[in-house]
Amino acid sequence: MMRHFIACCLVVAGGLPARAQQLNSRLYQDSLRTAIAAAPTDSARAVAAFQLSEHLATRDAQQAAYLVSEGLQWAKGSPLAKALHPYYAAVLLSQTDRDAAARLYLQADSLLSPFADSLALAVRSKAWHRYGGLRLFHDDPKQFTDILLNKAIPLARRTGDSSLISKHYLGIGHVFRNQGQHDVADEYMRTALRVLREGHSPPDQLLVTYISLAENSSLWERNDQAPEMLDSARALLAPYPDSYHWVDYYAAESLYFNTAKNWTAALESLGKGIAIAGRMQKRYEQQRLELQQYYALHNLGRYREALTVISYLANQPEMMAVATNRLLVYAGLAETYAAMGNGIAAYEWQKKYSTVSDSLHTSHLRNEISAMEVRYRNAEHQEKIATLEAKNRQAQLASHNSRLSFWLLAVGSMLVLASAVFIYFQYRNGRRLALQKLKDMEQRQMIATSHAMLEGEERERRRVARDLHDGLGGMLAGMKIRLSGMAAGEESGPLDQVIGQLDHSVNELRRIARNMMPENLFKFGLETALGDLCESLSTPATRISYQAFGIAADIPVQTQVTIYRIVQEALANAIRHAHAKEVILQCSQNGDIFFITIEDDGKGFDVPAKEKSPGTGLSNIRNRVHFLKGKLDINSVIGEGTAINIEIHVEADS
């Protein structure tokens, strides 16, 4: 009985795409409220409000709805922020109107698809996860798994967010666990754990994964593996005594004790979890724990207490709304009354149990009948095909009796063969010409790109010459005049001034050398060199934030130099032309794909008009990206800022 009802409870509770609760909810809320108040732009304020609404959706629905409304007002000037709105509105609706929420999740994915930045990709990934989770309420775990594998996970991988990727793998693990395939579930859950550990993800997602692995181990009859996971979860929870995750922890711990037939310890653990769930007004979670409490009481022979618990659950709409739960409650009532010697009551509840069980069986039987009908129709079609083939053979035999028909058939066959040969050669020649044209186009593109790269390098040489002549040359000429005057006795003065000029000259020489070829790139690698570049370009008027994720050290040196030049040009444009006060640079790598995202709050520009003007820094960036066979996407709104997203194919040094 225990394994059956525990598995059914997990079918309803597990695998849903709810956001992992933060370990310190109050701290997380305060950080988002601070972000709203201090946001430099309305679009940033809208994003922070949306994120806080998602966190409060199951805690304070009224406040969450207010934040979604306010966020929409702030998002009016930002296409990306406006496209985020349907997702966060759907999170609210998912508690009351699942069909409307499902439509909004699909709408969010459609509106966000033109945007390639990490925020849009992450929200699209979460939208698909939540949409698939709603399909579980229609008893469609197959579609949920398909959505995670083919929609949510590919989008999450493009963001490089290990926490998001692991959440999807964990969701697939829940589906297989609920289907009783605990070995497959364990494989996906451990994959989620590995992704989290490699990505240094936040502890809340690690905690959820440890608890899920502990539950699956108990259900898999590998109860000896559960304590390790429970200990890891408890260590993460210890600093947060008020965390909601204690409810999930005590549910997993009591499952472990129940599986080990330690009913007394299970009751103690369940009591703690029920108290927390009640205090937080999580009615369904509390009833799940009470169902396990009933089982422990029943196995201890405390039938009257068990009857009180199971009778209470029989009157709770949250528990009884699901057919599998009704089946468990009716079975529990029948067993408990039978154990207490009340055969009449046990018989009545057994009848209700049989009615629900028969309805489920009838549904399965209907599916089997449909499958049999399909097989029958397929067999019938095969029989008709065989009959037609027999008639064709008879017609062919009759045609061979006529000499004229034979020659006509032979001539016709020759004509068909000749036509086929002619078409084949035409197709092959056409394909060869098409391939040649494609190669010519690629060659012209490469020549144009190389020419543009050479022009860019020539401009860079002219700039360096100008810096040497006007900057460093002027400084050195001034020192020469001063030293000549001092040597001739025509001028007197302290040497400190000359030394100061010499220091300025040395610094100017270092600046020019760094612009020509960054020394840190060869000493410490691309990640460090980009960080130094951001630090050198940051000023009191412009703050540059730099984030790097998983950049490999074995990228070819020439590719690293080109990437460095791309970032250098983009940052220079944001500072010199956009007059940005805040610039964010994100660089990440996933396999052979290198991602660059540069966002600023500058004055923005008209992208089509800027691309047509020759000699701009934007054309230098585009030429270098094309040289590396990459993709460039620019989103800019005048007065709002600019976002540049770049994907580059990189190959490790062999």
Side-chain angles (χ1 to χ4, degrees):
M1 169 184 166
M2 182 272 289
R3 182 163 308 282
H4 178 59
F5 92 70
I6 292 294
C8 289
C9 289
L10 293 174
V11 166
V12 178
L16 295 180
R19 176 185 176 89
Q21 304 289 337
Q22 300 294 326
L23 285 172
N24 192 333
S25 175
R26 177 55 56 189
L27 181 63
Y28 181 70
Q29 292 181 42
D30 291 344
S31 67
L32 286 176
R33 294 187 193 280
T34 301
I36 294 172
T41 62
D42 281 347
S43 60
R45 189 173 293 110
V47 171
F50 286 150
Q51 291 173 341
L52 182 56
S53 75
E54 183 177 18
H55 182 72
L56 293 175
T58 58
R59 292 176 170 84
D60 188 342
Q62 185 176 359
Q63 178 66 12
Y66 170 77
L67 287 166
V68 170
S69 177
E70 286 293 294
L72 182 59
Q73 295 300 315
W74 287 322
K76 285 185 176 179
S78 170
L80 172 58
K82 285 174 63 178
L84 294 172
H85 173 261
Y87 168 78
Y88 293 97
V91 172
L92 277 175
L93 275 177
S94 61
Q95 304 295 321
T96 56
D97 190 342
R98 294 181 186 131
D99 292 337
R103 290 192 294 270
L104 283 175
Y105 285 136
L106 295 177
Q107 182 184 1
D109 176 73
S110 176
L111 292 175
L112 289 169
S113 58
F115 301 94
D117 60 274
S118 57
L119 175 60
L121 293 171
V123 172
R124 288 178 63 197
S125 179
K126 293 195 296 183
W128 278 112
H129 192 136
R130 286 183 176 273
Y131 173 78
L134 293 177
R135 299 305 305 167
L136 291 178
F137 288 100
H138 297 280
D139 195 23
D140 196 353
K142 181 179 178 182
Q143 186 177 6
F144 177 51
T145 306
D146 180 68
I147 287 172
L148 290 184
L149 288 172
N150 298 308
K151 297 285 188 181
I153 291 178
L155 288 168
R157 282 178 174 163
R158 291 173 63 186
T159 69
D161 186 342
S162 58
S163 179
L164 187 58
I165 296 170
S166 72
K167 188 179 298 184
H168 298 324
Y169 278 119
L170 191 61
I172 297 173
H174 285 162
V175 172
F176 281 108
R177 181 191 65 183
N178 296 340
Q179 299 299 314
Q181 296 175 261
H182 302 295
D183 53 341
V184 183
D186 183 79
E187 192 175 321
Y188 275 102
M189 290 177 180
R190 292 191 183 275
T191 299
L193 184 61
R194 188 189 72 251
V195 171
L196 285 172
R197 287 172 171 170
E198 291 175 353
H200 307 290
S201 296
D204 54 328
Q205 190 65 25
L206 268 174
L207 174 64
V208 172
T209 307
Y210 284 137
I211 290 174
S212 299
L213 278 164
E215 289 178 336
N216 189 65
S217 296
S218 296
L219 293 169
W220 194 13
E221 297 182 352
R222 296 193 177 184
N223 218 29
D224 57 317
Q225 298 180 7
E228 178 187 356
M229 297 300 164
L230 290 171
D231 290 344
S232 298
R234 193 177 189 92
L236 290 173
L237 270 171
Y240 309 99
D242 298 326
S243 172
Y244 167 77
H245 282 295
W246 281 108
V247 175
D248 296 325
Y249 173 81
Y250 285 125
E253 185 181 61
S254 61
L255 174 59
Y256 164 71
F257 286 134
N258 271 333
T259 305
K261 299 182 180 180
N262 189 346
W263 323 117
T264 303
L267 285 175
E268 182 180 352
S269 180
L270 287 164
K272 297 175 184 177
I274 290 170
I276 296 173
R279 193 163 59 247
M280 294 184 174
Q281 297 182 349
K282 302 293 183 181
R283 291 184 55 80
Y284 185 72
E285 287 77 1
Q286 180 178 347
Q287 291 165 22
R288 284 179 59 216
L289 294 172
E290 287 168 339
L291 192 56
Q292 288 200 54
Q293 184 183 46
Y294 155 77
Y295 175 71
L297 290 169
H298 183 92
N299 280 279
L300 283 170
R302 294 160 60 176
Y303 299 127
R304 290 193 178 278
E305 296 174 71
L307 181 61
T308 300
V309 174
I310 199 70
S311 298
Y312 166 78
L313 293 175
N315 293 305
Q316 303 309 306
E318 295 85 4
M319 175 64 62
M320 302 301 285
V322 182
T324 51
N325 287 348
R326 292 198 299 275
L327 197 68
L328 298 169
V329 170
Y330 294 157
L333 284 164
E335 284 195 27
T336 304
Y337 274 118
M340 295 174 67
N342 189 339
I344 296 176
Y347 173 73
E348 292 298 325
W349 286 112
Q350 184 64 38
K351 283 200 303 183
K352 291 186 177 182
Y353 170 87
S354 299
T355 301
V356 176
S357 179
D358 289 345
S359 65
L360 294 175
H361 176 71
T362 301
S363 175
H364 293 310
L365 183 60
R366 187 181 299 114
N367 292 335
E368 292 176 2
I369 292 173
S370 299
M372 289 175 61
E373 184 180 10
V374 170
R375 289 196 296 271
Y376 170 78
R377 290 184 181 276
N378 287 339
E380 189 177 34
H381 290 324
Q382 292 295 331
E383 185 177 351
K384 289 180 179 179
I385 291 172
T387 302
L388 289 174
E389 288 178 348
K391 290 181 179 180
N392 287 337
R393 284 195 296 271
Q394 291 177 357
Q396 290 173 1
L397 182 61
S399 68
H400 285 298
N401 293 330
S402 172
R403 185 181 182 85
L404 180 61
S405 297
F406 172 79
W407 283 110
L408 287 175
L409 181 61
V411 171
S413 299
M414 291 297 294
L415 289 174
V416 170
L417 179 60
S419 299
V421 171
F422 176 77
I423 292 172
Y424 169 73
F425 280 107
Q426 285 290 100
Y427 166 75
R428 191 173 67 174
N429 291 334
R431 185 181 179 188
R432 185 185 299 112
L433 290 173
L435 290 173
Q436 185 62 41
K437 288 181 180 179
L438 182 60
K439 289 181 180 178
D440 292 342
M441 289 177 61
E442 290 178 350
Q443 188 174 8
R444 285 196 297 271
Q445 179 66 33
M446 288 296 296
I447 292 172
T449 300
S450 300
H451 181 67
M453 291 282 289
L454 291 173
E455 286 185 351
E457 291 175 358
E458 184 61 30
R459 282 195 298 273
E460 184 70 14
R461 292 190 184 97
R462 289 197 295 269
R463 185 188 64 77
V464 172
R466 201 164 49 246
D467 286 346
L468 289 172
H469 181 272
D470 297 341
L472 184 60
M475 291 179 182
L476 294 175
M479 282 190 293
K480 177 182 177 182
I481 293 171
R482 182 177 286 271
L483 289 172
S484 298
M486 293 174 67
E490 299 173 358
E491 181 179 345
S492 61
L495 287 173
D496 292 344
Q497 295 180 1
V498 177
I499 293 172
Q501 286 183 319
L502 186 59
D503 285 339
H504 288 308
S505 300
V506 171
N507 290 334
E508 180 68 10
L509 181 60
R510 287 174 177 170
R511 183 187 67 80
I512 294 171
R514 184 171 59 249
N515 285 336
M516 290 181 65
M517 187 56 64
E519 186 177 357
N520 284 347
L521 182 64
F522 300 100
K523 285 186 176 180
F524 307 110
L526 180 59
E527 182 173 340
T528 301
L530 291 176
D532 291 344
L533 175 64
C534 293
E535 184 177 353
S536 67
L537 293 178
S538 292
T539 66
T542 303
R543 189 168 72 92
I544 302 176
S545 300
Y546 172 54
Q547 301 170 358
F549 306 100
I551 298 179
D554 56 356
I555 300 174
V557 173
Q558 186 56 46
T559 303
Q560 293 188 45
V561 173
T562 306
I563 292 173
Y564 183 91
R565 293 302 184 199
I566 290 171
V567 174
Q568 186 181 38
E569 190 75 50
L571 292 177
N573 288 344
I575 297 170
R576 186 165 54 246
H577 301 300
H579 304 294
K581 297 179 181 178
E582 188 82 20
V583 182
I584 299 174
L585 169 64
Q586 292 181 337
C587 296
S588 62
Q589 185 176 348
N590 185 8
D592 292 339
I593 305 297
F594 193 96
F595 301 95
I596 305 172
T597 299
I598 304 171
E599 300 180 4
D600 67 67
D601 61 352
K603 62 183 183 180
F605 59 91
D606 184 348
V607 177
K610 184 65 69 174
E611 288 181 335
K612 292 179 181 178
S613 61
T616 65
L618 188 61
S619 64
N620 291 340
I621 295 173
R622 189 175 296 279
N623 288 332
R624 287 188 169 102
V625 172
H626 285 168
F627 181 75
L628 294 178
K629 299 179 181 180
K631 298 178 182 178
L632 173 65
D633 180 64
I634 303 174
N635 293 301
S636 185
V637 177
I638 296 177
E640 289 291 331
T642 303
I644 300 177
N645 297 285
I646 301 171
E647 293 184 17
I648 295 173
H649 291 272
V650 296
E651 296 180 359
D653 282 330
S654 57

